[in-house]
Amino acid sequence: MTELPAGAGKKPLNRVAVTRRSVIAAIFVGAVVTYAVVEGQTFTEALRGVAEASPQWLLIGLAATVGSMVAFAVMRALTLAAAGSRVSVLRNVAISYGAGAVHATLPAGAVFSTTYAFRSLRKQGASSSAITWSLTITGLLSALTLGAVGLVGVVLSGGALGSAPGLAVKVLASVAVFALVVRLVRKPQPLVWLGHRVLAWYYRIRRRPAGAAHARLDAIVEDLYIIRPAGYHWIGALLLAIVNWVLDLACLAACCAAVGMHVGLPVLLLTYTAGMAAGSLLPVPSGLGAVEAAMALSLTVSGGAGSALASVLLYRVLSTGSVVLIGWIVVATQHFRPRGREAALEDQPGRHLADV
């Protein structure tokens, strides 16, 4: 058999994608260099503030960000239990760190982190329907409570530091989506009808029989009918989503205190919300650059630009940096661990969703 030349079977890189990434990287590097040149004094003050930061406050900030991740993992475990699958809190903590590291460091991190979390939870024996329910509900609750945090900040500031109507619309939209998801899980007939129509259309175009796909969709619906969370599941998940954000917010407050900044609660709330929102604007891992700029700009209301930038850099190192470090250790450990038991779990029934 004739061997192909090395690399002959590889798909060439899309030139448009390469150009786009190069332009984004060039803009980012150019912005950093420009900032360092134009705002050299501010940058120097920020580095000095980082070097002289209080170790006690930094330890408090680190504890707060770890507590935030644990709260999120407990929320994930609770929503899985509400759907009939039990995965220990410790396992959920490890999976949350791994997914967070993937999300923070890879392009299109949200897609890869969701895939990683789904597969990791399947390896722990959770059903596909329970995982899908948990991922959806935790995501919606996180968005809802983050919007509420920003809205509280606007209200406390008297509307001077933000747009109350805009945030209120976002919170109401999150509530509406959340209510719609719950409604569809309880009475999914309209969604099932639409799903069958889409499958029929899709397989008609492909000129393939759709019987197996329709059967898998019915199996998913049957699994979803079993999910009936109790009231304490909803209350517990909502409280844990709030605790998750509050502890991460406490990490930012500790970093401000570490460099001697005294920040009022309204400014702190709006700074945090602005940073989280800015992180989704640029197609770079973890919103690098956008988050720092938004937070530092908001914090200058309460102090000098150098102190504001120092506190934001410390916050990013503690929150994002710790997640990336611990998360990739978790991912590496899972990768090199013997896979016998995990492979057996992946072969268990209940994989309908991944097959549709």
Side-chain angles (χ1 to χ4, degrees):
M1 184 176 68
T2 305
E3 292 187 0
L4 293 174
K10 295 183 179 180
K11 185 178 179 180
L13 291 176
N14 188 311
R15 291 185 178 180
V16 175
V18 172
T19 303
R20 186 188 302 118
R21 294 175 184 175
S22 301
V23 170
I24 292 173
I27 292 174
F28 175 72
V29 173
V32 172
V33 172
T34 302
Y35 179 83
V37 172
V38 176
E39 298 289 344
Q41 183 178 356
T42 301
F43 197 69
T44 302
E45 291 177 2
L47 293 179
R48 186 183 303 115
V50 169
E52 298 174 355
S54 167
Q56 292 84 357
W57 279 112
L58 293 181
L59 285 175
I60 292 173
L62 181 60
T65 193
V66 171
S68 173
M69 290 297 295
V70 172
F72 183 83
V74 175
M75 177 172 62
R76 176 68 53 75
L78 182 63
T79 51
L80 283 170
S85 293
R86 297 193 177 277
V87 178
S88 70
V89 172
L90 185 60
R91 293 288 187 185
N92 273 290
V93 169
I95 292 170
S96 296
Y97 266 106
V102 171
H103 185 277
T105 53
L106 296 182
V111 176
F112 289 112
S113 64
T114 301
T115 303
Y116 167 83
F118 189 95
R119 291 179 176 176
S120 298
L121 289 169
R122 282 291 302 128
K123 291 174 183 177
Q124 298 303 318
S127 68
S128 296
S129 56
I131 297 170
T132 304
W133 163 262
S134 176
L135 293 176
T136 303
I137 294 302
T138 52
L140 288 173
L141 284 176
S142 294
L144 174 63
T145 48
L146 177 61
V149 167
L151 188 59
V152 170
V154 172
V155 172
L156 291 178
S157 68
L161 298 175
S163 172
L167 279 171
V169 169
K170 292 180 181 179
V171 172
L172 291 176
S174 298
V175 172
V177 173
F178 181 79
L180 178 62
V181 170
V182 174
R183 174 73 176 176
L184 288 175
V185 169
R186 291 185 176 276
K187 295 185 177 182
Q189 290 84 354
L191 190 62
V192 173
W193 176 84
L194 179 62
H196 281 300
R197 294 294 296 270
V198 171
L199 285 175
W201 172 77
Y202 174 73
Y203 279 94
R204 188 181 303 118
I205 292 177
R206 296 183 62 187
R207 297 182 179 180
R208 294 179 58 185
H214 288 296
R216 286 194 290 268
L217 178 59
D218 290 334
I220 294 171
V221 175
E222 185 178 349
D223 288 342
L224 289 176
Y225 268 122
I226 302 173
I227 301 176
R228 290 293 182 269
Y232 69 87
H233 287 128
W234 293 114
I235 295 173
L238 180 61
L239 291 176
L240 286 165
I242 295 172
V243 170
N244 169 44
W245 292 123
V246 168
L247 287 176
D248 199 35
L249 183 65
C251 177
L252 176 60
C255 292
C256 291
V259 298
M261 281 193 71
H262 301 284
V263 184
L265 182 59
V267 175
L268 191 67
L269 292 173
L270 290 174
T271 296
Y272 184 78
T273 308
M276 296 301 103
S280 60
L281 296 179
L282 290 181
V284 293
S286 196
L288 190 63
V291 174
E292 291 80 1
M295 284 187 161
L297 183 61
S298 298
L299 284 177
T300 52
V301 176
S302 299
S307 298
L309 181 57
S311 61
V312 172
L313 292 177
L314 288 170
Y315 165 73
R316 293 285 277 172
V317 169
L318 290 183
S319 60
T320 306
S322 65
V323 170
V324 170
L325 177 62
I326 299 173
W328 280 115
I329 291 175
V330 169
V331 173
T333 302
Q334 292 175 339
H335 179 74
F336 291 108
R337 188 172 55 194
R339 300 177 57 83
R341 178 177 177 271
E342 294 178 351
L345 285 171
E346 284 188 302
D347 291 336
Q348 289 179 353
R351 302 190 65 193
H352 309 300
L353 185 63
D355 296 330
V356 173

